[in-house]
Coordinates of all heavy atoms in Angstrom, one line a residue:
M207 N 105.3 210.7 -0.5 CA 105.5 212.1 -0.1 C 104.3 213.0 -0.3 O 104.0 213.8 0.5 CB 106.7 212.6 -0.9 CG 107.2 213.9 -0.4 SD 108.1 213.6 1.1 CE 108.9 215.1 1.4
A208 N 103.5 212.7 -1.3 CA 102.3 213.5 -1.6 C 101.3 213.2 -0.5 O 100.5 214.1 -0.1 CB 101.8 213.2 -3.0
K209 N 101.2 211.9 0.0 CA 100.3 211.6 1.0 C 100.6 212.4 2.3 O 99.7 212.8 3.0 CB 100.3 210.1 1.3 CG 99.7 209.3 0.2 CD 99.7 207.8 0.5 CE 99.1 207.0 -0.6 NZ 99.1 205.5 -0.3
L210 N 101.9 212.4 2.6 CA 102.3 213.2 3.8 C 102.0 214.6 3.7 O 101.5 215.3 4.6 CB 103.8 213.0 4.0 CG 104.4 213.7 5.3 CD1 103.8 213.1 6.5 CD2 105.9 213.5 5.3
A211 N 102.2 215.2 2.5 CA 101.9 216.6 2.3 C 100.4 216.9 2.4 O 100.0 217.9 2.9 CB 102.4 217.1 0.9
A212 N 99.6 215.9 2.0 CA 98.1 216.0 2.1 C 97.7 215.9 3.6 O 96.7 216.6 4.0 CB 97.4 215.0 1.3
K213 N 98.4 215.2 4.4 CA 98.0 215.0 5.8 C 98.6 216.1 6.7 O 98.3 216.2 7.9 CB 98.5 213.7 6.3 CG 97.7 212.5 5.8 CD 98.2 211.2 6.4 CE 97.4 210.0 5.9 NZ 97.8 208.8 6.6
L214 N 99.5 216.9 6.2 CA 100.2 217.9 7.0 C 99.2 218.9 7.7 O 99.4 219.1 8.9 CB 101.2 218.7 6.1 CG 102.2 219.6 6.8 CD1 103.0 218.7 7.7 CD2 103.0 220.3 5.9
P215 N 98.2 219.4 7.1 CA 97.3 220.3 7.8 C 96.6 219.6 9.0 O 96.4 220.1 10.1 CB 96.3 220.8 6.8 CG 96.9 220.6 5.5 CD 97.9 219.4 5.6
E216 N 96.2 218.3 8.7 CA 95.5 217.6 9.8 C 96.5 217.3 10.9 O 96.1 217.4 12.1 CB 95.0 216.3 9.2 CG 94.2 215.4 10.2 CD 93.8 214.1 9.6 OE1 93.6 214.0 8.4 OE2 93.6 213.1 10.4
L217 N 97.7 216.9 10.6 CA 98.7 216.6 11.6 C 99.1 217.9 12.4 O 99.2 217.8 13.7 CB 100.0 216.0 11.0 CG 99.8 214.6 10.4 CD1 101.1 214.2 9.7 CD2 99.5 213.6 11.5
S218 N 99.2 219.0 11.8 CA 99.5 220.2 12.5 C 98.3 220.6 13.4 O 98.6 221.1 14.5 CB 99.8 221.4 11.5 OG 98.7 221.7 10.7
K219 N 97.1 220.4 13.0 CA 95.9 220.7 13.8 C 95.9 219.8 15.0 O 95.7 220.3 16.2 CB 94.7 220.5 13.0 CG 93.4 220.9 13.8 CD 92.1 220.6 13.0 CE 90.9 220.9 13.8 NZ 89.7 220.5 13.1
M220 N 96.2 218.6 14.9 CA 96.3 217.6 16.0 C 97.4 218.0 16.9 O 97.3 217.9 18.2 CB 96.5 216.2 15.5 CG 95.3 215.6 14.8 SD 95.5 214.0 14.0 CE 96.4 213.1 15.2
A221 N 98.6 218.4 16.4 CA 99.7 218.9 17.3 C 99.3 220.1 18.1 O 99.7 220.2 19.3 CB 100.9 219.1 16.4
I222 N 98.6 221.0 17.5 CA 98.2 222.2 18.2 C 97.2 221.9 19.3 O 97.3 222.4 20.4 CB 97.7 223.3 17.2 CG1 98.8 223.8 16.3 CG2 97.0 224.4 17.9 CD1 98.3 224.7 15.2
E223 N 96.3 221.0 19.0 CA 95.3 220.6 20.0 C 96.0 219.9 21.1 O 95.6 220.0 22.3 CB 94.2 219.7 19.4 CG 93.3 220.4 18.5 CD 92.3 219.5 17.8 OE1 92.2 218.3 18.1 OE2 91.5 220.0 16.9
Y224 N 97.0 219.1 20.8 CA 97.7 218.3 21.9 C 98.5 219.3 22.7 O 98.6 219.1 23.9 CB 98.6 217.3 21.2 CG 99.5 216.5 22.1 CD1 98.9 215.4 22.8 CD2 100.8 216.8 22.4 CE1 99.7 214.7 23.7 CE2 101.6 216.1 23.2 CZ 101.0 215.0 23.9 OH 101.8 214.3 24.8
A225 N 99.1 220.3 22.1 CA 100.0 221.2 22.8 C 99.3 222.3 23.7 O 99.9 222.8 24.7 CB 101.0 221.8 21.9
K226 N 98.2 222.7 23.3 CA 97.5 223.9 23.9 C 97.3 223.7 25.4 O 97.7 224.5 26.2 CB 96.1 224.2 23.3 CG 96.2 225.1 22.1 CD 94.9 225.5 21.6 CE 95.0 226.4 20.5 NZ 93.7 226.8 19.9
P227 N 96.7 222.6 25.9 CA 96.6 222.4 27.4 C 97.9 222.3 28.1 O 98.1 222.8 29.2 CB 95.7 221.2 27.6 CG 95.8 220.5 26.3 CD 96.1 221.5 25.2
R228 N 98.9 221.7 27.5 CA 100.2 221.6 28.1 C 100.9 222.9 28.2 O 101.6 223.2 29.2 CB 101.0 220.5 27.4 CG 100.5 219.1 27.6 CD 101.0 218.2 26.6 NE 100.5 216.8 26.9 CZ 99.3 216.4 26.6 NH1 98.4 217.2 26.1 NH2 98.9 215.2 26.9
I229 N 100.8 223.7 27.2 CA 101.4 225.0 27.2 C 100.7 225.9 28.2 O 101.3 226.7 29.0 CB 101.4 225.7 25.8 CG1 102.4 224.9 24.9 CG2 101.8 227.2 25.9 CD1 102.3 225.3 23.5
A230 N 99.4 225.8 28.3 CA 98.6 226.6 29.3 C 99.0 226.2 30.7 O 99.2 227.1 31.6 CB 97.1 226.4 29.1
L231 N 99.2 224.9 31.0 CA 99.7 224.5 32.3 C 101.1 225.0 32.6 O 101.3 225.4 33.7 CB 99.6 222.9 32.4 CG 100.0 222.3 33.7 CD1 98.9 222.7 34.7 CD2 100.1 220.8 33.6
F232 N 102.0 224.9 31.6 CA 103.3 225.4 31.8 C 103.3 226.9 32.1 O 104.0 227.4 33.1 CB 104.2 225.2 30.5 CG 105.5 225.9 30.6 CD1 106.5 225.4 31.3 CD2 105.7 227.1 29.9 CE1 107.7 226.0 31.4 CE2 106.9 227.7 30.0 CZ 107.9 227.2 30.7
V233 N 102.5 227.7 31.4 CA 102.4 229.1 31.7 C 101.9 229.4 33.1 O 102.3 230.3 33.8 CB 101.6 229.8 30.6 CG1 101.3 231.3 30.9 CG2 102.3 229.8 29.2
K234 N 100.9 228.6 33.5 CA 100.3 228.8 34.8 C 101.3 228.6 35.9 O 101.4 229.4 36.8 CB 99.1 227.8 35.0 CG 98.6 227.7 36.4 CD 97.6 226.6 36.5 CE 97.2 226.3 37.9 NZ 96.4 225.1 38.1
Y235 N 102.1 227.5 35.8 CA 103.2 227.3 36.8 C 104.3 228.3 36.6 O 105.0 228.6 37.6 CB 103.6 225.9 36.7 CG 102.6 224.9 37.3 CD1 102.1 223.9 36.6 CD2 102.1 225.1 38.6 CE1 101.2 223.0 37.1 CE2 101.2 224.2 39.1 CZ 100.7 223.2 38.4 OH 99.8 222.3 38.9
A236 N 104.6 228.7 35.4 CA 105.8 229.6 35.2 C 105.5 230.9 35.8 O 106.4 231.5 36.3 CB 106.0 229.7 33.7
K237 N 104.3 231.4 35.8 CA 104.0 232.7 36.4 C 104.2 232.7 37.9 O 104.5 233.7 38.5 CB 102.5 233.1 36.1 CG 102.3 233.5 34.7 CD 100.8 233.9 34.4 CE 100.6 234.3 33.0 NZ 99.2 234.6 32.7
V238 N 104.1 231.5 38.5 CA 104.2 231.4 40.0 C 105.6 231.0 40.3 O 106.2 231.6 41.2 CB 103.2 230.3 40.5 CG1 103.5 230.1 42.0 CG2 101.8 230.8 40.3
E239 N 106.2 230.1 39.6 CA 107.5 229.5 40.1 C 108.7 230.3 39.5 O 109.8 230.2 40.1 CB 107.6 228.1 39.6 CG 106.6 227.2 40.3 CD 106.8 227.0 41.7 OE1 107.9 227.1 42.2 OE2 105.8 226.8 42.4
L240 N 108.6 231.0 38.4 CA 109.8 231.6 37.8 C 109.9 233.1 38.0 O 110.6 233.7 37.3 CB 109.7 231.3 36.3 CG 109.8 229.8 35.9 CD1 109.7 229.7 34.4 CD2 111.1 229.2 36.4
V241 N 109.2 233.6 39.0 CA 109.4 235.0 39.4 C 110.4 235.1 40.4 O 110.6 234.3 41.3 CB 108.0 235.6 39.8 CG1 107.0 235.5 38.7 CG2 107.5 234.9 41.1
P242 N 111.2 236.2 40.4 CA 112.2 236.4 41.5 C 111.5 236.7 42.8 O 110.3 237.1 42.9 CB 112.9 237.7 41.0 CG 112.0 238.3 40.0 CD 111.2 237.3 39.4
P243 N 112.2 236.5 43.9 CA 111.6 236.8 45.2 C 111.3 238.3 45.4 O 112.0 239.1 45.0 CB 112.6 236.3 46.2 CG 113.9 236.2 45.5 CD 113.6 236.0 44.0
T244 N 110.2 238.5 46.1 CA 109.8 239.9 46.4 C 110.6 240.3 47.7 O 111.1 239.5 48.4 CB 108.3 240.0 46.6 OG1 108.0 239.2 47.8 CG2 107.5 239.5 45.4
P245 N 110.7 241.6 47.9 CA 111.3 242.1 49.2 C 110.6 241.5 50.4 O 111.3 241.4 51.4 CB 111.2 243.6 49.1 CG 111.1 243.9 47.6 CD 110.4 242.7 47.0
A246 N 109.4 241.2 50.4 CA 108.7 240.7 51.5 C 109.1 239.3 51.8 O 109.0 238.8 53.0 CB 107.2 240.7 51.3
E247 N 109.7 238.6 50.9 CA 110.1 237.2 51.0 C 111.5 237.1 51.5 O 112.0 236.0 51.9 CB 109.9 236.4 49.8 CG 108.5 236.2 49.3 CD 108.4 235.6 47.9 OE1 109.4 235.6 47.2 OE2 107.3 235.1 47.7
I248 N 112.3 238.1 51.6 CA 113.7 238.1 52.0 C 113.8 237.6 53.4 O 114.7 236.7 53.7 CB 114.3 239.5 51.8 CG1 114.3 239.9 50.4 CG2 115.8 239.5 52.3 CD1 115.1 239.1 49.4
P249 N 113.0 238.0 54.4 CA 113.2 237.5 55.8 C 112.9 235.9 55.8 O 113.6 235.2 56.6 CB 112.1 238.2 56.6 CG 111.9 239.5 55.8 CD 112.1 239.1 54.4
Q250 N 112.0 235.4 55.0 CA 111.8 234.0 55.0 C 113.0 233.3 54.4 O 113.3 232.2 54.9 CB 110.5 233.7 54.1 CG 109.2 234.2 54.6 CD 108.1 234.0 53.7 OE1 108.3 233.7 52.5 NE2 106.9 234.1 54.2
I251 N 113.6 233.9 53.4 CA 114.8 233.2 52.9 C 115.9 233.2 53.9 O 116.6 232.2 54.1 CB 115.3 234.0 51.6 CG1 114.2 233.9 50.5 CG2 116.6 233.5 51.1 CD1 114.5 234.8 49.3
R252 N 116.1 234.3 54.7 CA 117.1 234.4 55.7 C 116.9 233.4 56.8 O 117.8 232.7 57.3 CB 117.2 235.8 56.3 CG 117.9 236.8 55.4 CD 118.1 238.1 56.1 NE 118.7 239.0 55.2 CZ 118.9 240.3 55.4 NH1 118.4 240.8 56.6 NH2 119.5 241.1 54.6
S253 N 115.6 233.2 57.2 CA 115.3 232.2 58.3 C 115.5 230.8 57.8 O 116.0 230.0 58.5 CB 113.9 232.4 58.8 OG 112.9 232.1 57.8
G254 N 115.2 230.6 56.5 CA 115.5 229.2 55.9 C 116.9 228.9 55.9 O 117.3 227.8 56.2
I255 N 117.8 229.9 55.5 CA 119.2 229.7 55.5 C 119.7 229.4 56.9 O 120.6 228.6 57.2 CB 119.9 230.8 54.8 CG1 119.6 230.8 53.3 CG2 121.4 230.8 55.0 CD1 120.1 232.1 52.6
G256 N 119.2 230.2 57.9 CA 119.5 230.0 59.3 C 119.2 228.6 59.8 O 119.9 228.0 60.5
K257 N 118.0 228.1 59.4 CA 117.6 226.7 59.8 C 118.6 225.7 59.2 O 118.9 224.7 59.8 CB 116.2 226.4 59.3 CG 115.1 227.1 60.1 CD 113.8 226.8 59.6 CE 112.7 227.6 60.3 NZ 111.3 227.3 59.7
I258 N 119.0 225.9 57.9 CA 119.9 225.0 57.3 C 121.3 225.0 58.0 O 121.8 223.9 58.3 CB 120.1 225.3 55.8 CG1 118.9 225.1 55.0 CG2 121.3 224.6 55.2 CD1 118.9 225.5 53.6
I259 N 121.8 226.2 58.4 CA 123.0 226.3 59.1 C 122.9 225.6 60.5 O 123.8 224.9 60.9 CB 123.5 227.7 59.2 CG1 123.9 228.2 57.8 CG2 124.7 227.9 60.1 CD1 124.1 229.7 57.7
S260 N 121.9 225.9 61.2 CA 121.7 225.4 62.6 C 121.5 223.9 62.5 O 122.0 223.1 63.4 CB 120.6 226.0 63.3 OG 119.3 225.7 62.7
G261 N 120.8 223.4 61.5 CA 120.7 221.9 61.3 C 122.0 221.2 61.0 O 122.3 220.1 61.4
A262 N 122.8 221.9 60.2 CA 124.2 221.4 59.9 C 125.0 221.3 61.1 O 125.8 220.4 61.3 CB 124.8 222.2 58.8
K263 N 125.0 222.4 62.0 CA 125.8 222.4 63.2 C 125.3 221.4 64.2 O 126.1 220.8 64.9 CB 125.7 223.8 63.8 CG 126.5 224.8 63.0 CD 126.4 226.2 63.7 CE 127.1 227.3 62.9 NZ 127.0 228.6 63.5
S264 N 124.0 221.2 64.3 CA 123.5 220.3 65.4 C 123.5 218.8 64.9 O 123.3 217.9 65.7 CB 122.1 220.7 65.7 OG 121.2 220.4 64.6
G265 N 123.7 218.5 63.6 CA 123.8 217.2 63.2 C 122.4 216.6 62.8 O 122.2 215.4 62.7
A266 N 121.4 217.5 62.6 CA 120.1 217.1 62.2 C 120.1 216.4 60.8 O 119.1 215.7 60.5 CB 119.1 218.3 62.2
W267 N 121.1 216.7 60.0 CA 121.1 216.1 58.7 C 121.2 214.5 58.8 O 120.9 213.8 57.8 CB 122.3 216.6 57.9 CG 123.6 216.5 58.5 CD1 124.2 217.3 59.4 CD2 124.5 215.4 58.4 NE1 125.4 216.9 59.8 CE2 125.6 215.7 59.2 CE3 124.5 214.2 57.6 CZ2 126.7 214.8 59.3 CZ3 125.6 213.4 57.7 CH2 126.7 213.7 58.5
R268 N 121.7 214.0 59.9 CA 121.8 212.6 60.1 C 120.4 211.9 60.3 O 120.3 210.7 60.1 CB 122.6 212.3 61.3 CG 124.1 212.6 61.1 CD 124.9 212.2 62.3 NE 125.5 213.4 62.8 CZ 126.0 213.5 64.0 NH1 126.0 212.5 64.9 NH2 126.6 214.7 64.4
Q269 N 119.4 212.7 60.6 CA 118.1 212.1 60.7 C 117.3 212.2 59.4 O 116.1 211.9 59.5 CB 117.3 212.9 61.8 CG 118.0 212.9 63.2 CD 118.2 211.5 63.7 OE1 117.4 210.6 63.6 NE2 119.4 211.3 64.3
T270 N 117.9 212.5 58.3 CA 117.2 212.6 57.0 C 116.9 211.2 56.5 O 117.8 210.3 56.5 CB 118.1 213.3 56.0 OG1 118.4 214.6 56.6 CG2 117.3 213.5 54.7
P271 N 115.6 210.9 56.1 CA 115.3 209.6 55.6 C 116.1 209.4 54.3 O 116.5 210.3 53.6 CB 113.8 209.7 55.2 CG 113.3 210.9 56.0 CD 114.5 211.8 56.2
V272 N 116.3 208.1 54.0 CA 117.1 207.7 52.8 C 116.5 208.3 51.5 O 117.2 208.7 50.7 CB 117.2 206.2 52.7 CG1 117.9 205.7 51.5 CG2 118.0 205.6 54.0
K273 N 115.2 208.2 51.4 CA 114.5 208.7 50.2 C 114.8 210.2 50.0 O 115.2 210.6 48.9 CB 113.0 208.5 50.3 CG 112.3 208.8 49.0 CD 110.8 208.5 49.1 CE 110.1 208.8 47.8 NZ 108.7 208.4 47.9
E274 N 114.7 211.0 51.0 CA 115.0 212.4 50.9 C 116.5 212.7 50.7 O 116.8 213.6 49.9 CB 114.5 213.1 52.2 CG 114.5 214.6 52.1 CD 114.0 215.3 53.3 OE1 113.1 214.7 54.0 OE2 114.4 216.4 53.6
A275 N 117.3 211.9 51.3 CA 118.8 212.1 51.1 C 119.1 211.8 49.6 O 120.0 212.4 49.0 CB 119.6 211.2 52.0
W276 N 118.5 210.7 49.1 CA 118.7 210.4 47.7 C 118.3 211.5 46.8 O 119.0 211.8 45.8 CB 118.0 209.1 47.4 CG 118.1 208.6 46.0 CD1 117.1 208.5 45.1 CD2 119.3 208.3 45.2 NE1 117.6 208.1 43.8 CE2 119.0 208.0 43.9 CE3 120.7 208.2 45.6 CZ2 119.9 207.6 42.9 CZ3 121.6 207.9 44.6 CH2 121.2 207.5 43.3
L277 N 117.1 212.1 47.0 CA 116.6 213.2 46.2 C 117.5 214.4 46.3 O 117.8 215.1 45.3 CB 115.2 213.5 46.6 CG 114.1 212.5 46.2 CD1 112.8 212.9 46.8 CD2 114.1 212.3 44.8
N278 N 118.0 214.7 47.5 CA 119.0 215.8 47.7 C 120.2 215.5 46.9 O 120.8 216.5 46.3 CB 119.3 216.0 49.2 CG 118.1 216.5 50.0 OD1 117.2 217.0 49.4 ND2 118.2 216.4 51.3
T279 N 120.7 214.3 46.9 CA 121.9 213.9 46.1 C 121.7 214.1 44.6 O 122.6 214.7 43.9 CB 122.3 212.5 46.4 OG1 122.5 212.3 47.8 CG2 123.6 212.1 45.7
L280 N 120.5 213.7 44.2 CA 120.2 213.9 42.7 C 120.2 215.3 42.3 O 120.7 215.7 41.3 CB 118.9 213.2 42.4 CG 119.0 211.6 42.4 CD1 117.6 211.1 42.1 CD2 120.0 211.1 41.4
V281 N 119.6 216.1 43.2 CA 119.5 217.6 42.9 C 120.9 218.2 42.9 O 121.2 219.0 42.0 CB 118.6 218.3 43.9 CG1 118.7 219.8 43.8 CG2 117.1 217.9 43.7
T282 N 121.7 217.8 43.8 CA 123.1 218.3 43.9 C 123.9 217.9 42.6 O 124.6 218.8 42.0 CB 123.8 217.8 45.1 OG1 123.0 218.2 46.3 CG2 125.2 218.4 45.2
V283 N 123.7 216.7 42.2 CA 124.4 216.2 41.0 C 123.9 217.0 39.8 O 124.7 217.4 38.9 CB 124.2 214.7 40.8 CG1 124.7 214.2 39.4 CG2 125.0 214.0 41.9
E284 N 122.6 217.2 39.7 CA 122.0 218.0 38.6 C 122.6 219.4 38.5 O 123.0 219.9 37.5 CB 120.5 218.0 38.6 CG 119.9 218.8 37.5 CD 118.4 218.9 37.6 OE1 117.8 218.6 38.6 OE2 117.8 219.4 36.6
V285 N 122.7 220.1 39.7 CA 123.2 221.4 39.7 C 124.6 221.4 39.3 O 125.1 222.3 38.5 CB 123.0 222.0 41.1 CG1 123.8 223.3 41.3 CG2 121.5 222.3 41.4
L286 N 125.4 220.5 39.8 CA 126.8 220.4 39.4 C 127.0 220.2 37.9 O 127.9 220.8 37.2 CB 127.6 219.3 40.2 CG 127.8 219.6 41.7 CD1 128.4 218.4 42.4 CD2 128.7 220.8 41.8
C287 N 126.2 219.3 37.3 CA 126.3 219.0 35.9 C 125.9 220.2 35.1 O 126.6 220.6 34.1 CB 125.3 217.9 35.5 SG 125.9 216.2 36.0
W288 N 124.9 221.0 35.5 CA 124.6 222.2 34.7 C 125.7 223.2 34.9 O 125.9 224.0 34.0 CB 123.2 222.8 35.2 CG 122.1 222.0 34.5 CD1 121.2 221.3 35.1 CD2 121.8 222.0 33.1 NE1 120.3 220.8 34.2 CE2 120.6 221.2 33.0 CE3 122.4 222.6 32.0 CZ2 120.1 220.9 31.7 CZ3 121.8 222.3 30.8 CH2 120.7 221.5 30.6
F289 N 126.3 223.3 36.1 CA 127.4 224.2 36.3 C 128.6 223.9 35.3 O 129.1 224.8 34.6 CB 128.0 224.1 37.7 CG 129.2 224.9 37.9 CD1 129.2 226.3 38.0 CD2 130.4 224.2 38.0 CE1 130.4 227.0 38.2 CE2 131.6 224.9 38.1 CZ 131.6 226.3 38.3
F290 N 128.9 222.6 35.2 CA 130.0 222.2 34.3 C 129.6 222.4 32.8 O 130.5 222.8 32.0 CB 130.5 220.8 34.6 CG 131.2 220.7 35.9 CD1 130.7 219.8 36.9 CD2 132.3 221.4 36.1 CE1 131.4 219.7 38.1 CE2 133.0 221.3 37.3 CZ 132.5 220.5 38.3
V291 N 128.4 222.1 32.5 CA 127.9 222.4 31.1 C 128.0 223.9 30.8 O 128.5 224.3 29.7 CB 126.5 221.9 30.9 CG1 125.9 222.4 29.6 CG2 126.5 220.4 30.9
G292 N 127.6 224.7 31.7 CA 127.7 226.2 31.5 C 129.2 226.6 31.4 O 129.5 227.5 30.6
E293 N 130.1 226.0 32.2 CA 131.5 226.3 32.0 C 132.0 225.9 30.6 O 132.8 226.7 30.0 CB 132.3 225.6 33.1 CG 132.2 226.2 34.5 CD 132.9 227.6 34.5 OE1 134.0 227.7 34.1 OE2 132.2 228.5 35.1
C294 N 131.6 224.8 30.2 CA 132.1 224.3 28.8 C 131.5 225.3 27.7 O 132.2 225.6 26.8 CB 131.6 222.9 28.6 SG 132.5 221.7 29.6
I295 N 130.3 225.7 27.9 CA 129.7 226.6 26.9 C 130.4 227.9 27.0 O 130.7 228.6 26.0 CB 128.2 226.8 27.2 CG1 127.4 225.5 26.8 CG2 127.6 228.0 26.4 CD1 126.0 225.5 27.3
G296 N 130.7 228.4 28.2 CA 131.4 229.7 28.3 C 132.8 229.7 27.8 O 133.3 230.6 27.2
K297 N 133.5 228.5 28.0 CA 134.9 228.4 27.5 C 134.9 228.1 26.0 O 136.0 228.2 25.3 CB 135.6 227.3 28.2 CG 135.9 227.6 29.7 CD 136.7 226.5 30.3 CE 135.9 225.2 30.4 NZ 136.6 224.2 31.2
R298 N 133.8 227.6 25.5 CA 133.7 227.1 24.1 C 134.7 226.0 23.8 O 135.2 225.8 22.7 CB 133.9 228.3 23.1 CG 132.9 229.3 23.2 CD 133.1 230.4 22.1 NE 132.0 231.4 22.2 CZ 132.1 232.6 21.8 NH1 133.2 233.0 21.2 NH2 131.1 233.4 21.9
H299 N 134.9 225.2 24.8 CA 135.8 224.1 24.7 C 135.6 223.1 25.9 O 135.3 223.6 27.0 CB 137.3 224.5 24.7 CG 138.2 223.5 24.1 ND1 138.9 222.6 24.8 CD2 138.6 223.3 22.8 CE1 139.6 221.9 24.0 NE2 139.5 222.3 22.7
I300 N 135.8 221.8 25.7 CA 135.5 220.9 26.8 C 136.6 220.8 27.8 O 136.4 220.8 29.0 CB 135.2 219.5 26.2 CG1 133.9 219.5 25.4 CG2 135.1 218.4 27.3 CD1 133.6 218.2 24.7
V301 N 137.9 220.8 27.3 CA 139.0 220.6 28.2 C 139.4 221.8 28.9 O 139.5 221.8 30.1 CB 140.2 220.0 27.4 CG1 141.3 219.8 28.3 CG2 139.8 218.7 26.8
G302 N 139.7 222.9 28.2 CA 140.1 224.1 28.9 C 140.2 225.2 27.9 O 139.7 225.1 26.7
Y303 N 140.8 226.3 28.3 CA 140.9 227.5 27.4 C 142.0 227.2 26.4 O 143.0 226.7 26.7 CB 141.2 228.7 28.2 CG 140.1 229.1 29.1 CD1 140.1 228.8 30.5 CD2 139.0 229.8 28.6 CE1 139.1 229.2 31.3 CE2 138.0 230.2 29.5 CZ 138.0 229.9 30.8 OH 137.0 230.3 31.6
K304 N 141.7 227.7 25.2 CA 142.8 227.6 24.1 C 143.7 228.8 24.3 O 143.3 229.9 24.3 CB 142.1 227.6 22.7 CG 141.3 226.4 22.5 CD 140.8 226.4 21.0 CE 140.0 225.2 20.8 NZ 139.5 225.2 19.4
V305 N 145.0 228.5 24.5 CA 146.0 229.5 24.7 C 146.6 229.9 23.4 O 146.9 229.1 22.6 CB 147.1 229.0 25.7 CG1 148.1 230.1 26.0 CG2 146.4 228.6 27.0

């Protein structure tokens, strides 16, 4: 135990050196990706939604490659899982509300 306590400053220094570039990279991407849309981007969002709706009506979704369809399925499953996890957290119970 004493050896571990003696190595603690060295280990913490190594951990900080390891984490600094990764945190800097996270902050760099977070400043770009985690901001809400600006009012100038609203027309782009509307046109994107319009393309999705027109593609669904015309059947363009049938031309999606298998790799892209698989990724879309995984994203959908992830969103659904987070929705259900959020519901369980909100209810504070797995099965349902306690009456």
Side-chain angles (χ1 to χ4, degrees):
M207 192 69 168
K209 289 181 182 180
L210 182 63
K213 289 185 178 181
L214 194 61
E216 181 183 336
L217 290 173
S218 63
K219 181 181 176 186
M220 288 173 45
I222 290 171
E223 288 176 8
Y224 179 80
K226 271 187 181 179
R228 286 161 181 78
I229 291 173
L231 184 66
F232 172 77
V233 169
K234 174 186 165 187
Y235 287 122
K237 286 181 181 178
V238 175
E239 297 292 333
L240 297 177
V241 296
T244 62
E247 295 173 340
I248 301 296
Q250 294 173 347
I251 295 170
R252 286 187 178 170
S253 68
I255 292 172
K257 287 180 185 177
I258 291 173
I259 292 172
S260 66
K263 287 180 182 177
S264 68
W267 57 272
R268 290 184 240 161
Q269 303 300 323
T270 305
V272 173
K273 185 176 182 179
E274 189 175 334
W276 176 245
L277 291 175
N278 291 343
T279 303
L280 288 176
V281 169
T282 303
V283 168
E284 181 183 9
V285 168
L286 288 173
C287 287
W288 280 114
F289 171 77
F290 290 120
V291 166
E293 284 291 314
C294 291
I295 291 171
K297 293 185 290 189
R298 296 184 179 156
H299 201 267
I300 292 176
V301 178
Y303 293 100
K304 292 184 179 181
V305 180

